[in-house]
Amino acid sequence: MKIKVALMGLVASLSFSSVAVAEDAEAMMQAAGKDIFTKCSACHSLDTSKNAFGPSLIGVVGREAASLPRFAYSDALRNSGITWTEENLRQWIAGNDQFVPGTRMRHVEITDKAEQDYLIAYLKTL
Ligand code: HEC
């Protein structure tokens, strides 16, 4: 639904300027990503003061894996040596338990490249 509204905005702005289009495209991706994030928010709270079932994802892009002090990460993630670059996040959401075997996070599988782009665009806003 939100995606549809954002897309309509994008189409509408095409007639104006390319700058507006670029900004709208980014906003559209973030809005679409926010919708996809409903698959994650049951476990990942956006409240920085608490870790839910999963660790907080505020500021996760660029962060070292398993680096929040008060969260009980799996040894697998702790020892992974990963930094959450866009590419690593892409692999994680495409199949986290293949990317980091032994992780405690339940299997997620978002293989659609566009959906991955949207979700990562949204994560960057956190
Ligand atoms: C069923 C609960 C659950 C769901 C749903 C879930 N996660 Fe997780 N997530 C976890 C847990 C638990 C961990 C810690 C994993 C570990 O220690 O091995 C984690 C870890 C992560 C990390 C690593 C964070 C860090 O500090 O290193 C990222 C990134 C992440 N999840 C993203 C996502 C995204 C994006 C989604 C939605 C597509 C999602 N998760 C859905 C429970 C969940």
Side-chain angles (χ1 to χ4, degrees):
M1 190 56 198
K2 273 179 203 143
I3 303 175
K4 221 181 209 169
V5 171
L7 274 174
M8 278 158 55
L10 180 63
V11 171
S13 67
L14 278 173
S15 46
F16 297 117
S17 75
S18 56
V19 173
V21 172
E23 280 172 5
D24 271 19
E26 189 64 25
M28 184 206 83
M29 296 207 355
Q30 290 164 1
K34 193 174 181 188
D35 276 357
I36 299 167
F37 192 74
T38 54
K39 293 183 182 172
C40 323
S41 52
C43 301
H44 292 286
S45 168
L46 292 183
D47 180 346
T48 42
S49 67
K50 61 176 182 209
N51 288 309
F53 183 69
S56 167
L57 295 183
I58 308 279
V60 72
V61 181
R63 189 165 91 193
E64 269 177 49
S67 58
L68 290 185
R70 285 175 300 119
F71 188 80
Y73 290 99
S74 64
D75 287 342
L77 195 60
R78 232 184 259 284
N79 297 330
S80 67
I82 291 169
T83 297
W84 292 121
T85 58
E86 286 188 33
E87 185 45 41
N88 283 336
L89 281 168
R90 197 178 289 285
Q91 295 196 52
W92 177 256
I93 59 185
N96 55 307
D97 42 7
Q98 273 149 1
F99 188 48
V100 181
T103 176
R104 283 207 301 119
M105 182 168 126
R106 195 180 67 196
H107 176 70
V108 295
E109 190 173 324
I110 299 174
T111 51
D112 185 89
K113 168 92 168 51
E115 285 192 15
Q116 294 173 353
D117 286 346
Y118 298 158
L119 188 55
I120 291 167
Y122 176 66
L123 288 175
K124 281 192 199 159
T125 69
L126 299 180

